[in-house]
Short mmCIF file of all heavy atoms in Angstrom, two decimals:
data_model
loop_
_atom_site.label_atom_id
_atom_site.label_comp_id
_atom_site.label_asym_id
_atom_site.label_seq_id
_atom_site.Cartn_x
_atom_site.Cartn_y
_atom_site.Cartn_z
N VAL A 205 -36.34 44.69 19.58
CA VAL A 205 -36.21 44.03 18.29
C VAL A 205 -35.78 45.00 17.15
O VAL A 205 -34.82 44.71 16.43
CB VAL A 205 -37.52 43.27 17.92
CG1 VAL A 205 -37.47 42.77 16.47
CG2 VAL A 205 -37.72 42.11 18.88
N PRO A 206 -36.44 46.15 17.01
CA PRO A 206 -35.98 47.04 15.93
C PRO A 206 -34.51 47.46 16.05
O PRO A 206 -33.80 47.55 15.07
CB PRO A 206 -36.87 48.28 16.09
CG PRO A 206 -38.09 47.77 16.78
CD PRO A 206 -37.62 46.69 17.70
N ILE A 208 -32.07 45.86 17.41
CA ILE A 208 -31.03 44.79 17.20
C ILE A 208 -31.23 44.07 15.84
O ILE A 208 -30.65 43.01 15.61
CB ILE A 208 -31.03 43.73 18.33
CG1 ILE A 208 -32.34 42.97 18.39
CG2 ILE A 208 -30.70 44.39 19.66
CD1 ILE A 208 -32.26 41.71 19.26
N THR A 209 -32.03 44.66 14.98
CA THR A 209 -32.22 43.99 13.66
C THR A 209 -30.92 43.75 12.90
O THR A 209 -30.81 42.76 12.18
CB THR A 209 -33.21 44.78 12.79
OG1 THR A 209 -32.90 46.16 12.81
CG2 THR A 209 -34.66 44.53 13.23
N PRO A 210 -29.91 44.65 12.98
CA PRO A 210 -28.66 44.31 12.26
C PRO A 210 -28.03 43.01 12.78
O PRO A 210 -27.49 42.23 12.00
CB PRO A 210 -27.74 45.52 12.59
CG PRO A 210 -28.67 46.61 12.92
CD PRO A 210 -29.83 45.98 13.58
N ILE A 212 -29.79 40.59 14.28
CA ILE A 212 -30.68 39.47 13.85
C ILE A 212 -30.30 39.09 12.42
O ILE A 212 -30.21 37.93 12.07
CB ILE A 212 -32.16 39.92 13.95
CG1 ILE A 212 -32.54 40.15 15.40
CG2 ILE A 212 -33.05 38.84 13.33
CD1 ILE A 212 -33.96 40.67 15.60
N PHE A 213 -30.10 40.14 11.61
CA PHE A 213 -29.75 39.88 10.20
C PHE A 213 -28.43 39.10 10.09
O PHE A 213 -28.32 38.12 9.36
CB PHE A 213 -29.64 41.24 9.48
CG PHE A 213 -29.14 41.11 8.06
CD1 PHE A 213 -29.94 40.53 7.09
CD2 PHE A 213 -27.89 41.55 7.69
CE1 PHE A 213 -29.50 40.38 5.77
CE2 PHE A 213 -27.43 41.41 6.37
CZ PHE A 213 -28.24 40.83 5.42
N TYR A 214 -27.43 39.52 10.88
CA TYR A 214 -26.14 38.84 10.87
C TYR A 214 -26.32 37.36 11.26
O TYR A 214 -25.81 36.47 10.60
CB TYR A 214 -25.16 39.54 11.82
CG TYR A 214 -23.91 38.75 12.05
CD1 TYR A 214 -22.88 38.78 11.09
CD2 TYR A 214 -23.72 37.99 13.20
CE1 TYR A 214 -21.73 38.03 11.27
CE2 TYR A 214 -22.57 37.25 13.37
CZ TYR A 214 -21.56 37.26 12.43
OH TYR A 214 -20.43 36.54 12.62
N LEU A 216 -29.00 35.61 11.15
CA LEU A 216 -29.81 34.92 10.14
C LEU A 216 -28.91 34.39 9.02
O LEU A 216 -28.99 33.22 8.62
CB LEU A 216 -30.87 35.87 9.54
CG LEU A 216 -31.65 35.35 8.34
CD1 LEU A 216 -32.60 34.24 8.81
CD2 LEU A 216 -32.43 36.45 7.66
N ILE A 279 -31.20 37.08 -1.36
CA ILE A 279 -32.56 37.50 -0.96
C ILE A 279 -32.52 38.18 0.42
O ILE A 279 -33.16 39.19 0.63
CB ILE A 279 -33.51 36.27 -0.96
CG1 ILE A 279 -33.72 35.80 -2.38
CG2 ILE A 279 -34.82 36.61 -0.28
CD1 ILE A 279 -34.47 34.46 -2.48
N SER A 280 -31.76 37.56 1.30
CA SER A 280 -31.67 38.14 2.66
C SER A 280 -31.09 39.56 2.61
O SER A 280 -31.60 40.47 3.27
CB SER A 280 -30.79 37.28 3.55
OG SER A 280 -31.28 35.98 3.59
N TRP A 282 -31.14 41.60 0.11
CA TRP A 282 -32.13 42.50 -0.52
C TRP A 282 -33.21 42.87 0.46
O TRP A 282 -33.61 44.02 0.56
CB TRP A 282 -32.72 41.77 -1.75
CG TRP A 282 -33.90 42.48 -2.28
CD1 TRP A 282 -33.95 43.60 -3.10
CD2 TRP A 282 -35.28 42.16 -2.02
NE1 TRP A 282 -35.24 43.98 -3.36
CE2 TRP A 282 -36.09 43.10 -2.69
CE3 TRP A 282 -35.92 41.17 -1.28
CZ2 TRP A 282 -37.49 43.08 -2.65
CZ3 TRP A 282 -37.30 41.12 -1.22
CH2 TRP A 282 -38.06 42.09 -1.92
N SER A 283 -33.64 41.87 1.25
CA SER A 283 -34.76 42.11 2.16
C SER A 283 -34.40 43.04 3.32
O SER A 283 -35.28 43.63 3.94
CB SER A 283 -35.27 40.79 2.69
OG SER A 283 -34.38 40.29 3.68
N GLN A 284 -33.10 43.16 3.59
CA GLN A 284 -32.73 43.97 4.76
C GLN A 284 -33.14 45.44 4.61
O GLN A 284 -33.33 46.13 5.59
CB GLN A 284 -31.24 43.84 5.06
CG GLN A 284 -30.36 44.48 4.02
CD GLN A 284 -28.90 44.54 4.52
OE1 GLN A 284 -28.65 44.65 5.69
NE2 GLN A 284 -27.98 44.50 3.58
N ASN A 285 -33.30 45.87 3.36
CA ASN A 285 -33.75 47.25 3.13
C ASN A 285 -35.14 47.48 3.75
O ASN A 285 -35.53 48.61 3.99
CB ASN A 285 -33.83 47.53 1.63
CG ASN A 285 -32.43 47.56 1.03
OD1 ASN A 285 -31.50 47.97 1.68
ND2 ASN A 285 -32.32 47.10 -0.20
N HIS A 286 -35.89 46.40 3.93
CA HIS A 286 -37.26 46.55 4.40
C HIS A 286 -37.42 46.29 5.88
O HIS A 286 -38.50 46.57 6.42
CB HIS A 286 -38.17 45.58 3.62
CG HIS A 286 -38.11 45.81 2.13
ND1 HIS A 286 -38.79 46.84 1.52
CD2 HIS A 286 -37.38 45.21 1.17
CE1 HIS A 286 -38.51 46.83 0.21
NE2 HIS A 286 -37.67 45.84 -0.02
N TRP A 287 -36.41 45.72 6.53
CA TRP A 287 -36.65 45.42 7.95
C TRP A 287 -35.46 45.63 8.88
O TRP A 287 -35.63 45.57 10.09
CB TRP A 287 -37.19 44.00 8.12
CG TRP A 287 -36.23 42.88 7.69
CD1 TRP A 287 -36.06 42.44 6.41
CD2 TRP A 287 -35.34 42.14 8.52
NE1 TRP A 287 -35.12 41.44 6.41
CE2 TRP A 287 -34.67 41.22 7.67
CE3 TRP A 287 -35.03 42.12 9.88
CZ2 TRP A 287 -33.70 40.33 8.16
CZ3 TRP A 287 -34.08 41.26 10.36
CH2 TRP A 287 -33.43 40.36 9.50
N VAL A 288 -34.30 45.90 8.32
CA VAL A 288 -33.13 46.08 9.19
C VAL A 288 -32.86 47.57 9.42
O VAL A 288 -32.82 48.33 8.44
CB VAL A 288 -31.86 45.41 8.59
CG1 VAL A 288 -30.69 45.59 9.53
CG2 VAL A 288 -32.12 43.93 8.38
N TYR A 289 -32.73 47.95 10.69
CA TYR A 289 -32.54 49.37 11.03
C TYR A 289 -31.06 49.62 11.33
O TYR A 289 -30.48 49.00 12.21
CB TYR A 289 -33.39 49.72 12.26
CG TYR A 289 -33.09 51.08 12.81
CD1 TYR A 289 -33.55 52.23 12.18
CD2 TYR A 289 -32.34 51.21 13.99
CE1 TYR A 289 -33.27 53.49 12.68
CE2 TYR A 289 -32.04 52.48 14.50
CZ TYR A 289 -32.53 53.61 13.84
OH TYR A 289 -32.20 54.86 14.35
N ARG A 296 -31.12 54.03 7.81
CA ARG A 296 -31.27 52.68 7.20
C ARG A 296 -29.96 52.27 6.56
O ARG A 296 -29.19 53.07 6.17
CB ARG A 296 -32.37 52.69 6.14
CG ARG A 296 -33.71 52.78 6.78
CD ARG A 296 -34.82 52.41 5.83
NE ARG A 296 -36.07 52.45 6.56
CZ ARG A 296 -36.59 51.46 7.23
NH1 ARG A 296 -35.97 50.32 7.25
NH2 ARG A 296 -37.72 51.59 7.85
#
Side-chain angles (χ1 to χ4, degrees):
Chain A
V205 171
I208 65 165
T209 46
I212 295 176
F213 174 70
Y214 170 79
L216 173 70
I279 291 172
S280 302
W282 168 80
S283 75
Q284 68 170 330
N285 292 325
H286 302 281
W287 63 278
V288 180
Y289 171 75
R296 287 196 178 273

